[in-house]
Amino acid sequence: MVRLAPAEIFRGARNWNHGLIRESIVKRGNPPKESPKQENMNPTKKKSSLCPWSLRSTVKMDPTFGKRFDFDIPVLMWKQHFTPETWDRLKERNVPYGWRGLSYGVIARSVQLLNDSVNSRLFTMTRPPNSCIRCAVVGNGGILNGSHQGKDIDAHDFVFRLNGAVIKGFEKDVGTKTSFYGFTVNTMKNSLIAYAEYGFTQIPQGKDIRYIFIPSDIRDYLMIRSAALGIPVPEGSDKGDEPQKYFGSEKSADKFKLLHPDFLHYLTERFLRSEILSTQFGYLYMPSTGALMLLTALHTCDQVSAYGFITENYRKFSDHYYEQEKKPLVFYANHDMLLESELWKSLHRVGIMKLYQR
C-alpha cells in the first residue's frame, strides 16, 4: 500500500520524499562490498586512540563489527581530498555517494573553500592524555517525551542534533546543548515548514555550533559555499536564499563540515544496505539523517549514546517527542527505518554504543 506524506512537509522537495509504507522487517542483503582505498586517513583516529575506553576496542574484539568498521576512511570532505583522481572516481557515482551529473565547477568551488585543517575533522579541542570524547546523538523520536534525559544528554562533551530539533519546552527531556547540527538542505527546509507549529522556527545557532552538511544534492554544495562566503545562493532551486538566516551572521568556513561521499557510500554498503536497493524504489534510498549522524559519531567519538532513535517498541510512542497528539511513525521507501532499528539494537547489545530505551 502506498501512502503519501502530508503535502506541507514536502513542499518544494524532490520527488523521492514520497514513498512506500513497509510493513515487514527487512532482512540484510548481500555481504557489504569493500570500499575503495582512501587518499587520507581519518584525522580523528589519533585523537580518539588516546582514550583507554574507546568504542574502538569493543569494535576490534567483535567478530562481526570488527570487519565492518573502517576507522581509516575519511569522514569529512575538504580541499585536500579534491584531486583529479577523486573527481574521476566520484563522478561515476550518483549522489549522495558521488558526483554523477553534478557541475565540476560547483563542486570544486565549494570544496576548495573548506581549506583549513578544521574542515577535515569534527573536533578541534585539545585534551589531556587518557581522556575520552563522549558524544550524545539526539534524534527526534517520541520516546523522548517524558524521558527526563536532558541532564544526561547535556553531560556529554558533544551533542549532535538534526532536522526538526525542537528544544524550547522540552529541555528536561532533550537537554539544551548543541555542538553539531546535521542535515541536508532539503531536510532542513522541510523541517522548518513541517514543524514550525511545534516551535521549530530556526535551526540551532551559536558561536560554538558546527553544521554538518550531508551532500544529497547540488543544492547542498551551493549552500555550503554561500554560507562560508556570506553571500546569497547564486543559482538552483535555492537561488537568492540567504544562508545567514539559517546559520547566523558569522562568515567563516570553519563552522561548516561536509560529509565525504566515500563515507556515505561506505556506511550504506557496510551497515545499511537495504533490500530497497534491489526494488523499483532503489534510486530513492539513502540512510536517514539520524542514521548518518549516529554513524558519524560512531566513527569520530570515543563513547556514543543515542537518544530518540527507533527501538523495537516504537509503536508505543508518537513519531516525534514534541507532538501533542500521538502520530504513528510512517515508513517511506527513501529510508529503511526497520533495518536501522536492527543495527542500533545490535550495536547496543555488543556494547559499541548505548541506545536509550524504555
Side-chain angles (χ1 to χ4, degrees):
M1 177 176 67
V2 176
R3 179 173 178 177
L4 299 182
E8 67 271 19
I9 296 181
F10 299 105
R11 190 178 305 153
R14 292 167 53 184
N15 59 6
W16 50 257
N17 282 297
H18 297 293
L20 178 72
I21 286 187
R22 308 186 66 250
E23 300 291 349
S24 58
I25 293 180
V26 178
K27 298 179 181 178
R28 296 194 185 278
N30 295 326
K33 300 176 182 177
E34 293 297 318
S35 58
K37 297 293 183 181
Q38 305 302 325
E39 296 90 345
N40 295 80
M41 289 179 62
N42 180 358
T44 63
K45 185 181 180 184
K46 289 184 179 180
K47 184 182 290 288
S48 294
S49 65
L50 297 173
C51 173
W53 304 284
S54 173
L55 62 87
R56 287 162 175 72
S57 300
T58 307
V59 168
K60 185 177 180 180
M61 292 186 296
D62 189 86
T64 298
F65 288 110
K67 296 177 181 179
R68 290 192 183 185
F69 275 84
D70 179 1
F71 294 110
D72 287 342
I73 194 165
V75 173
L76 301 176
M77 167 64 70
W78 69 307
K79 183 179 180 179
Q80 288 194 13
H81 288 160
F82 191 74
T83 64
E85 293 76 19
T86 301
W87 169 260
D88 287 341
R89 179 166 51 80
L90 294 184
K91 72 179 182 180
E92 301 302 319
R93 288 197 213 133
N94 291 327
V95 288
Y97 315 113
W99 297 325
R100 179 180 290 168
L102 303 187
S103 164
Y104 174 88
V106 170
I107 301 300
R109 288 191 295 269
S110 300
V111 174
Q112 287 171 357
L113 278 177
L114 306 175
N115 57 8
D116 193 286
S117 61
V118 300
N119 301 122
S120 71
R121 60 184 185 270
L122 284 184
F123 311 119
T124 56
M125 62 180 281
T126 57
R127 62 178 183 174
N130 299 324
S131 63
C132 301
I133 293 179
R134 299 177 61 245
C135 297
V137 186
V138 185
N140 302 319
I143 192 172
L144 286 177
N145 190 304
S147 65
H148 301 286
Q149 294 298 302
K151 287 185 178 179
D152 287 342
I153 290 170
D154 285 346
H156 291 76
D157 299 310
F158 296 95
V159 177
F160 293 68
R161 299 187 192 271
L162 54 115
N163 294 345
V166 178
I167 292 178
K168 187 175 181 180
F170 297 91
E171 294 88 348
K172 289 183 179 180
D173 293 335
V174 303
T176 61
K177 185 176 181 178
T178 302
S179 311
F180 299 100
Y181 177 77
F183 62 100
T184 69
V185 171
N186 188 52
T187 61
M188 177 186 73
K189 289 194 169 186
N190 286 341
S191 295
L192 288 167
I193 294 169
Y195 310 125
E197 63 179 297
Y198 303 110
F200 189 69
T201 57
Q202 179 179 292
I203 72 171
Q205 291 186 9
K207 180 181 178 181
D208 297 326
I209 294 177
R210 298 296 180 259
Y211 300 99
I212 303 176
F213 279 73
I214 301 169
S216 69
D217 199 344
I218 192 68
R219 64 195 302 203
D220 298 293
Y221 293 97
L222 288 165
M223 181 66 78
I224 196 171
R225 179 176 183 273
S226 292
L229 295 174
I231 62 173
V233 178
E235 60 182 282
S237 57
D238 302 303
K239 184 177 180 179
D241 207 356
E242 298 180 347
Q244 60 265 32
K245 70 183 181 184
Y246 305 115
F247 313 114
S249 58
E250 183 180 347
K251 302 175 185 177
S252 172
D254 295 354
K255 290 185 71 70
F256 305 106
K257 316 289 183 179
L258 178 68
L259 291 187
H260 200 304
D262 274 336
F263 183 60
L264 300 178
H265 183 260
Y266 150 80
L267 295 182
T268 302
E269 289 292 317
R270 296 283 187 96
F271 296 95
L272 291 169
R273 185 167 180 79
S274 171
E275 287 187 350
I276 295 173
L277 288 165
S278 301
T279 72
Q280 61 180 316
F281 302 104
Y283 70 99
L284 306 174
Y285 176 76
M286 67 179 288
S288 70
T289 305
L292 294 175
M293 286 301 98
L294 182 46
L295 286 163
T296 294
L298 286 165
H299 283 76
T300 52
C301 306
D302 295 314
Q303 298 168 4
V304 175
S305 298
Y307 300 83
F309 281 77
I310 185 171
T311 55
E312 280 189 318
N313 60 343
Y314 68 88
R315 291 182 181 86
K316 290 177 58 178
F317 310 104
S318 189
D319 191 357
H320 302 99
Y321 61 81
Y322 37 78
E323 290 157 346
Q324 295 181 354
E325 296 182 5
K326 183 178 179 181
K327 295 184 178 180
L329 175 61
V330 179
F331 297 99
Y332 298 97
N334 58 317
H335 301 315
D336 192 336
M337 303 304 292
L338 293 174
L339 182 59
E340 292 181 11
S341 175
E342 291 180 2
L343 177 61
W344 313 145
K345 181 173 64 175
S346 297
L347 290 166
H348 173 83
R349 184 177 63 249
V350 300
I352 294 173
M353 74 172 201
K354 177 183 176 183
L355 176 66
Y356 174 69
Q357 304 175 78
R358 56 190 283 212

